[in-house]
Amino acid sequence: FQPRSDNKRVVARSGDTWWSLAATYLDTIPNAQSFYWVLCDYQPTPVTDPTVPPTPGTIVFIPDADFFVAVYFADSRRDEDSV
């Protein structure tokens, strides 16, 4: 988690899942729902079981899509993964 001014703060509703939140709020990224794990990892207390939906009323922090792309698709990350 990084406390950034461009984070979205979303109140979880009944029926929300980590997949649906990613699909909704990272919608400028192709196949956004497949990045549910980023939302899980991005919370102040990271979510360890993404099959458990967020509790309704919980604040979910959503990183800005541009920040997400810059951090998670950075060339330096690819270089780290190939080591």
Side-chain angles (χ1 to χ4, degrees):
F1 175 74
Q2 295 184 23
R4 298 173 45 89
S5 62
D6 56 359
N7 285 342
K8 292 182 182 123
R9 294 169 45 106
V10 175
V11 178
R13 299 177 307 190
S14 180
D16 281 343
T17 65
W18 296 106
W19 291 268
S20 68
L21 290 167
T24 299
Y25 294 102
L26 299 175
D27 63 337
T28 59
I29 301 167
N31 298 313
Q33 70 280 0
S34 65
F35 296 104
Y36 67 88
W37 59 272
V38 171
L39 296 188
C40 292
D41 190 49
Y42 197 72
Q43 303 313 299
T45 301
V47 174
T48 57
D49 185 355
T51 64
V52 176
T55 303
T58 300
I59 301 294
V60 175
F61 292 89
I62 313 285
D64 176 73
D66 291 335
F67 170 75
F68 165 79
V69 169
V71 170
Y72 288 94
F73 293 123
D75 288 337
S76 61
R77 283 185 63 93
R78 274 187 248 145
D79 293 342
E80 289 172 10
D81 291 341
S82 64
V83 172

